[in-house]
Amino acid sequence: MKKIVPNILVVDDSMAILIVMEAILKELGLSETITTTLSARDALDKVKTNPTYYDAIFTDLNMPEMDGMELIRHLGELNYQGGIIIVSEMDHKVISLAANLAKQHNAHLIGNIAKPVQLSQVSRLLIKVAQLNSHTLLKEPVISKDELIDALKNDEITPFYQPKINTDNNKIESVEVLARILSSKDGNIILPNRFINTAEQHNLINQITFSLFEKATSEFKNMKAQLGHDFKMAFNLSPTQLDDLSCPNKLLLILELNRLTPSNIIIEITEQHALSSLMQLETLNRLRMHGFGLSLDDFGVGFTNMEQLRNLPFTEIKIDRSLISNIETDLFSQVVVSSLINITSGEHLDLVAEGVERPEELAYLKHYRRNLAIQGFLFSCPKPKEEFILWAKKWTETPHP
Ligand code: C2E
Ligand code: CA
Ligand code: CA
């Protein structure tokens, strides 16, 4: 299921804007996949007919009959999974409120463009559409159930490590463990987007998690000794794994074997799917009661709104890459991130910015006086243990301005 060019729907009651948008999208190589309409109702009908067809919708706010806010609300009700971009001049308060409302309605508002529309703005937002899709679409062929079972039998599930760095003192605060399949035949590395879904579908995700958890926690003490300082280790759990009420006990058992305590561990849960079942909430609470750190991953692309954050027992929020990339020039991301910082200040929540790739992004993030941890290729990509330790020693020894 390879998909390269996104399908775009543009809705605006001004024919002139539609013509400009179409010209820009064509210039960006999307001529085959653009649909335009003058009416929000028509746009909604198009999505109703084929809910998964459009990867992104560019919408005006001010339109007769049905306006942009109403369209966004209906798209949320339809559980529309693509990105929504508002094409309209908006001030900070309006952006912040629109983003929050969209979240309440389970819609993915990913940015706004001021009129007159410029090619560079549209191009920047198409990158965000691609990033959003990387959460929901599978770009590379997934591996089959049998291939995954073989990988598990051959013990090929391998932890890779990526640091989260405190911007105040440049310390490695924690290290995220990311799953890889390391082929014993040819040494090829298979990334999680090719096997996590298969694992979830065929009930193999627990085996992956516990294999990783055993391997990484058994290496934890040795890694700390080599780095010469304490840090936490973070693991990803799929929300479905929280439905298993015995999950915390299984993790505790492995920790005990390795003489570790839950306070050394952070559990990351993606925000993509709403945490819904009572069982999931019970497990979440139990993990927290045992002392595990709990991190809400990919915040910004999912369905937790700012107010719900207060009622869930999270200790950390990871701001999704789509809100971080190009933040220094992206007013929408700036407003959403700063309102998140305001809401979480005084809440004892650690904040992590994910996917920092460029020095400009880091420099902008340092403007916020709030203590932020940073994770991203700018510092280090995920690495196998030995390589990570070499990197981390060098990082710790090098003075940082
Ligand atoms: P995630 O938990 O959001 O992990 C961060 C992903 O972003 C990682 O991709 C990491 O390599 C990538 N990343 C980090 N910094 C940057 C950056 O600066 N730029 C860019 N472009 N990417 C960056 P990875 O390792 O391919 O993992 C993808 C997803 O697979 C993870 O997203 C997580 O949702 C899932 N996953 C990985 N390991 C596990 C696991 O053990 N269990 C479960 N359930 N899911 C896992
Ligand atoms: Ca994660
Ligand atoms: Ca993430």
Side-chain angles (χ1 to χ4, degrees):
M1 160 179 171
K2 255 202 165 127
K3 187 163 180 180
I4 301 146
V5 186
N7 296 313
I8 306 286
L9 177 62
V10 186
V11 48
D12 201 304
D13 61 322
S14 148
M15 193 48 141
I17 295 283
L18 291 184
I19 291 168
V20 171
M21 280 297 296
E22 200 164 356
I24 287 176
L25 289 165
K26 277 189 180 152
E27 182 82 29
L28 291 166
L30 276 76
S31 46
E32 311 279 297
T33 58
I34 316 163
T35 310
T36 58
T37 170
L38 288 159
S39 126
R41 188 159 305 283
D42 180 49
L44 192 61
D45 287 341
K46 285 188 159 60
V47 177
K48 271 187 193 156
T49 315
N50 197 346
T52 54
Y53 180 74
Y54 297 106
D55 299 297
I57 299 175
F58 288 78
T59 176
D60 187 15
L61 273 190
N62 240 327
M63 291 179 284
E65 199 204 350
M66 184 192 291
D67 68 13
M69 296 300 287
E70 189 180 346
L71 174 63
I72 292 172
R73 171 156 50 84
H74 290 310
L75 289 171
E77 285 160 5
L78 285 178
N79 199 16
Y80 170 67
Q81 293 289 309
I84 300 168
I85 294 140
I86 292 177
V87 186
S88 178
E89 197 69 70
M90 299 203 292
D91 74 20
H92 292 219
K93 277 196 184 147
V94 177
I95 291 177
S96 171
L97 184 60
N100 220 338
L101 280 176
K103 262 181 160 298
Q104 308 260 18
H105 296 309
N106 291 351
H108 300 295
L109 188 60
I110 58 170
N112 80 295
I113 298 182
K115 293 176 185 175
V117 181
Q118 280 158 6
L119 186 131
S120 59
Q121 291 181 312
V122 177
S123 151
R124 183 171 52 73
L125 280 156
L126 288 176
I127 294 171
K128 279 205 193 188
V129 171
Q131 283 168 351
L132 178 69
N133 287 343
S134 76
H135 287 285
T136 48
L137 292 179
L138 308 164
K139 293 270 155 60
E140 286 176 83
V142 292
I143 71 168
S144 67
K145 179 186 173 190
D146 289 342
E147 287 171 302
L148 185 56
I149 290 176
D150 278 347
L152 282 161
K153 270 197 207 136
N154 299 334
D155 197 26
E156 293 176 343
I157 307 295
T158 308
F160 271 44
Y161 300 92
Q162 190 185 29
K164 305 181 198 172
I165 302 217
N166 183 324
T167 43
D168 261 9
N169 54 17
N170 286 305
K171 224 184 114 208
I172 300 171
E173 296 228 303
S174 56
V175 176
E176 178 173 3
V177 178
L178 292 152
R180 302 285 184 266
I181 293 177
L182 194 62
S183 163
S184 46
K185 265 187 251 129
D186 49 21
N188 273 348
I189 295 170
I190 302 177
L191 292 173
N193 63 348
R194 297 184 55 200
F195 62 85
I196 293 292
N197 268 20
T198 310
E200 287 174 347
Q201 276 162 21
H202 299 286
N203 235 340
L204 296 166
I205 189 72
N206 267 344
Q207 289 191 50
I208 291 183
T209 302
F210 293 119
S211 164
L212 273 185
F213 200 74
E214 276 172 19
K215 286 180 186 174
T217 52
S218 70
E219 292 176 337
F220 196 2
K221 284 221 160 119
N222 172 268
M223 287 173 73
K224 272 194 216 183
Q226 296 210 54
L227 260 64
H229 68 81
D230 203 8
F231 58 87
K232 293 185 183 188
M233 214 174 232
F235 293 86
N236 294 283
L237 279 195
S238 303
T240 52
Q241 293 178 280
L242 296 177
D243 282 318
D244 172 7
L245 293 177
S246 67
C247 169
N249 280 338
K250 291 181 189 155
L251 298 176
L252 286 171
L253 202 65
I254 299 173
L255 288 180
E256 235 166 74
L257 289 174
N258 291 298
R259 293 166 201 267
L260 294 165
T261 61
S263 61
N264 300 120
I265 306 292
I266 299 170
I267 300 293
E268 299 191 4
I269 294 143
T270 175
E271 201 226 347
Q272 247 184 88
H273 316 276
L275 286 166
S276 47
S277 79
L278 289 175
M279 249 137 48
Q280 289 177 358
L281 294 175
E282 183 177 330
T283 307
L284 206 61
N285 230 10
R286 187 164 297 123
L287 285 168
R288 184 68 201 117
M289 274 159 39
H290 284 300
F292 287 93
L294 293 181
S295 178
L296 185 60
D297 205 346
D298 308 324
F299 184 82
V301 299
F303 297 133
T304 321
N305 61 54
M306 306 264 191
E307 281 68 31
Q308 277 174 305
L309 275 181
R310 290 213 174 93
N311 302 322
L312 293 167
F314 287 102
T315 55
E316 177 183 275
I317 294 172
K318 296 181 78 173
I319 308 166
D320 191 64
R321 182 158 64 93
S322 59
L323 285 170
I324 299 299
S325 66
N326 293 310
I327 187 163
E328 80 280 9
T329 53
D330 186 328
L331 178 66
F332 181 84
S333 297
Q334 289 170 5
V335 170
V336 174
V337 171
S338 66
S339 85
L340 177 64
I341 288 175
N342 286 338
I343 281 169
T344 55
S345 70
E347 296 275 327
H348 296 294
L349 272 170
D350 296 325
L351 276 185
V352 182
E354 285 192 301
V356 177
E357 292 182 352
R358 297 162 42 249
E360 293 85 353
E361 292 159 355
L362 178 64
Y364 185 86
L365 290 167
K366 283 187 167 179
H367 274 144
Y368 295 119
R369 264 171 281 143
R370 171 77 141 88
N371 213 346
L372 268 183
I374 304 284
Q375 187 177 12
F377 293 170
L378 180 64
F379 295 136
S380 168
C381 61
K383 294 178 175 9
K385 183 191 165 200
E386 301 306 332
E387 225 178 284
F388 170 74
I389 287 179
L390 284 179
W391 175 87
K393 279 185 176 166
K394 201 164 155 214
W395 173 265
T396 312
E397 283 159 13
T398 315
H400 301 279

